[in-house]
Amino acid sequence: MSSPPLEVAVVGAGYWGPNLVRNFAGHPDTAVRWVCDADGERAERVASTHAGVRSTAALVDVLGDADLDAVVVATPPETHRDIGLAALAAGKHVLIEKPLASSLDEAQQLVDAAEQADLVLMCDHTYCYTPAVTRIRELVRGGVLGDVQYVDSTRINLGLIQSAVDVLWDLAPHDLSILDFVLPPDQAPTAVSAYTADPLGVGRACVGFLTLPLPGGGVGHVHVNWLSPTKIRRTVIAGTHRMLVWDDLDPAHRLTVFDKGVDLSQPLDVEARTDILVSYRVGDMVAPALPEREALRGVVEEFASSVRERRAPLTDGASGLRVVRTLAAAGRSAQAGSVLVPLDAPGAG
Ligand SMILES: NC(=O)c1ccc[n+]([C@@H]2O[C@H](COP(=O)([O-])OP(=O)(O)OC[C@H]3O[C@@H](n4cnc5c(N)ncnc54)[C@H](O)[C@@H]3O)[C@@H](O)[C@H]2O)c1
């Protein structure tokens, strides 16, 4: 017998909220009961596009609904902690937009509260639910790429200059959540160094570069930028066995896996450097077939099934916390002249 749909409220009906409303309303396992926004007219406008959805400007209306199972938070990051904690205290499961919260302390409070209440806390790391990233995770974690030597992720465009967050907190959660998702825990970055710039003088970074050393000598690099004339969404991952390029804006060649690499005839020895034989492997190039499907549909499915099965979702509160930890450490690094900040040291956030 199929279980009844998960009844959700979407809080925040600005740019992203309506996409969540559409996906939760359109999935057979879920139903939208409420749209809530501090701007009541906006809530009403979005709710009216779907039959039977109520609107309100007051969170208390939503949390007092005994038939509501879950709250989906799509408000600005500085409000995530308070709305999330209130929803958990009311016994609701919670899905929160990226970034999970606007500080490490706030993110930790959410994770702790969900654990104490035995409720599901998921972070919407949307890209982790794209067919391309799902495949990349299989390739990396399944050992097809070998040991990861470097990751280079570019996410740049002429972007909306946000009023409350800088470009790192706006765009880098995508890259960092993808790294967190695809790399096995023992290959996760150990530290972060950040360089940011505010060439317009708007009071917050519009350009940012993150360098993330990987265990075993590799490195991750992330470039996020609101001031680029063209939009680029491209990630390169090089492993000892295979390399791949993911270009999210090229539907014809979204993911390409290269059987290319560099092999040394013997371990590097400084004295013997000149004698080392380097051979280049140039083999086949494969473009795996990927289904076309909206990532948010995968987010909805994962949230609904993790609640039904009472298990941690793929992108749980802990993954949201790890991303926030790296963002907070990156902020400290940028302020301190790009020093390398360890990600596991006490107070690293
Ligand atoms: N996953 C993704 O790909 C993706 C894409 C865009 C935005 N986001 C995330 O979604 C969140 C919202 O971003 P946005 O671009 O939609 O912002 P937005 O400013 O367009 O919309 C935010 C909405 O929240 C409402 N709001 C603010 N405080 C509130 C409160 N306390 N209670 C109820 N409503 C409140 C505002 O009135 C506004 O309508 C952010 O965390 C952002 O990072 C995620």
Side-chain angles (χ1 to χ4, degrees):
M1 210 174 68
S2 64
S3 32
L6 184 79
E7 303 272 350
V8 311
V10 175
V11 182
Y15 163 64
W16 196 244
N19 293 325
L20 291 158
V21 172
R22 177 171 52 76
N23 275 276
F24 274 100
H27 198 286
D29 294 347
T30 55
V32 179
R33 287 177 73 81
W34 295 92
V35 173
C36 171
D37 196 291
D39 178 339
E41 282 179 22
R42 191 174 286 175
E44 167 55 27
R45 250 194 330 272
V46 175
S48 67
T49 57
H50 299 276
V53 179
R54 282 167 282 177
S55 71
T56 180
L59 185 64
V60 63
D61 292 343
V62 169
L63 300 184
D65 179 352
D67 292 326
L68 185 78
D69 300 307
V71 173
V72 178
V73 184
T75 52
E78 66 275 16
T79 65
H80 289 181
R81 188 265 312 262
D82 287 354
I83 296 173
L85 288 182
L88 290 166
K92 313 299 182 193
H93 303 284
V94 176
L95 168 65
I96 299 187
E97 265 313 315
K98 64 81 193 163
L100 182 61
S102 55
S103 73
L104 186 58
D105 183 46
E106 291 179 2
Q108 187 70 61
Q109 288 177 40
L110 284 164
V111 170
D112 291 347
E115 197 180 311
Q116 276 156 23
D118 197 19
L119 291 163
V120 169
L121 172 64
M122 174 165 162
C123 189
D124 178 15
H125 289 158
T126 316
Y127 279 96
C128 300
Y129 299 90
T130 57
V133 175
T134 302
R135 182 60 67 89
I136 292 170
R137 177 177 153 109
E138 288 165 7
L139 292 168
V140 174
R141 294 201 171 201
V144 174
L145 259 69
D147 292 335
V148 173
Q149 295 174 323
Y150 72 84
V151 180
D152 197 3
S153 197
T154 306
R155 190 172 302 279
I156 66 178
N157 54 282
L158 209 51
L160 187 66
I161 307 234
Q162 305 276 337
S163 55
V165 290
D166 67 10
V167 71
L168 289 183
W169 283 80
D170 181 34
L171 295 183
H174 293 307
D175 308 277
L176 295 175
S177 61
I178 292 164
L179 269 183
D180 184 70
F181 192 66
V182 304
L183 292 177
D186 64 352
Q187 292 191 43
T190 53
V192 63
S193 157
Y195 189 90
T196 60
D198 172 19
L200 296 180
V202 293
R204 67 195 67 82
C206 298
V207 183
F209 301 93
L210 301 182
T211 304
L212 302 130
L214 304 175
V219 67
H221 181 254
V222 174
H223 174 197
V224 284
N225 194 332
W226 285 329
L227 305 179
S228 161
T230 54
K231 183 168 177 172
I232 301 177
R233 300 279 183 270
R234 189 182 299 129
T235 301
V236 180
I237 306 181
T240 44
H241 300 155
R242 297 275 192 288
M243 300 173 171
L244 65 80
V245 177
W246 166 40
D247 186 341
D248 200 41
L249 302 183
D250 183 352
H253 307 97
R254 215 184 285 281
L255 181 61
T256 314
V257 183
F258 298 84
D259 180 9
K260 284 190 179 182
V262 182
D263 296 322
L264 298 183
S265 61
Q266 60 194 74
L268 187 60
D269 172 335
V270 175
E271 297 298 314
R273 189 189 293 267
T274 51
D275 296 325
I276 282 193
L277 282 178
V278 177
S279 62
Y280 294 90
R281 237 175 333 101
V282 184
D284 289 343
M285 197 176 91
V286 178
L290 298 172
E292 282 295 330
R293 74 163 204 173
E294 189 174 357
L296 274 183
R297 189 167 173 90
V299 171
V300 167
E301 268 164 19
E302 177 64 5
F303 186 51
S305 62
S306 61
V307 169
R308 206 170 43 238
E309 295 159 19
R310 284 300 179 120
R311 62 165 172 82
L314 276 172
T315 53
D316 59 0
S319 69
L321 179 69
R322 288 193 294 275
V323 167
V324 167
R325 174 178 290 119
T326 307
L327 290 168
R332 290 198 334 167
S333 168
Q335 275 185 352
S338 306
V339 292
L340 200 58
V341 176
L343 289 173
D344 54 359

